[in-house]
Every structure is written in C-alpha cells, then in structure tokens.
C-alpha cells in the first residue's frame, strides 16, 4: 500500500511539473560563439568601425550627390470605360432545359463503329 501511495504522489508531482513546463514562456538563447566564429565576432565590428571612421567623409559626399529627381505630373483617368452586356441567349427563355441531340449511349456506339471500320 505504501508503494502505491508513493507512486501516486510521484505521478501527481510529475503532472504538475509537466503542466508548469507546458505553460511556461519559451526561452531561446543564442549559443556563445567559439572557434573561428568567436574571432570573427570580435573582428568584424572592429573593422567596420575603423573603415567608417577612415572613409566616412566619402560616404557623406556620395549621399550629397544622390538627389532625387522631380516626378513628372500627369493626369489620371478615373472614369471607367463603358461596357455593354451581351444579349441573352435564347436558351434562357425556353422552358425545357434538355440538350437536343443523341443520348450518350448512342454517341458511344457511333464511335465504336468508326473504329471497327
């Protein structure tokens, strides 16, 4: 009986831990850089800042040269084209909706006769 009660208590604690884990907000962490990536992680920002200090005046000059041109003014056509509906087909006015012609079985028999000859 003691084993059964202990197992039941462990199961209840396990369910509580599982529920707490499922309801917790996800936590993502970036793994720390190592090896060559650790070296590049430090080197790239240093190189970028040095180059921006050395050649920053060139970037400022290029920004000054790029002036946007004025856009042309034109009139917009907001009136839609006129559209005429086509005339109604006579089949809509007729009372019978049957398609004139031969039945499907007769049509299939006609095709068999052409193949045999």
């Amino acid at each position: 009986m003691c084993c059964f009660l202990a197992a039941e208590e462990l199961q209840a604690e396990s369910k509580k831990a599982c529920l707490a884990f499922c309801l917790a907000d996800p936590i993502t962490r970036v793994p720390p850089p190592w090896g060559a990536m650790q070296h590049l992680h430090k080197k790239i920002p240093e190189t970028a800042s040095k180059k921006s200090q050395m050649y920053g005046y060139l970037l400022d000059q290029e920004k000054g040269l790029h002036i946007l041109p004025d856009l042309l003014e034109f009139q917009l056509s907001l009136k839609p084209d006129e559209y005429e509906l086509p005339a109604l087909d006579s089949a809509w006015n007729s009372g019978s909706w049957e398609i004139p012609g031969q039945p499907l079985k007769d049509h299939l028999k006609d095709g068999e006769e052409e193949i045999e000859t």
Side-chain angles (χ1 to χ4, degrees), residues 39-78:
H39 173 71
L40 290 174
H41 187 71
K42 293 177 183 176
K43 188 71 174 169
I44 291 174
E46 291 173 1
T47 306
S49 66
K50 287 179 184 175
K51 285 191 177 184
S52 66
Q53 290 172 359
M54 291 171 50
Y55 302 112
Y57 67 95
L58 292 175
L59 292 173
D60 292 338
Q61 288 177 356
E62 284 184 17
K63 286 180 184 176
L65 295 176
H66 294 296
I67 298 173
L68 296 176
D70 294 334
L71 294 176
L72 299 174
E73 292 184 18
F74 57 92
Q75 293 180 352
L76 295 176
S77 174
L78 298 178

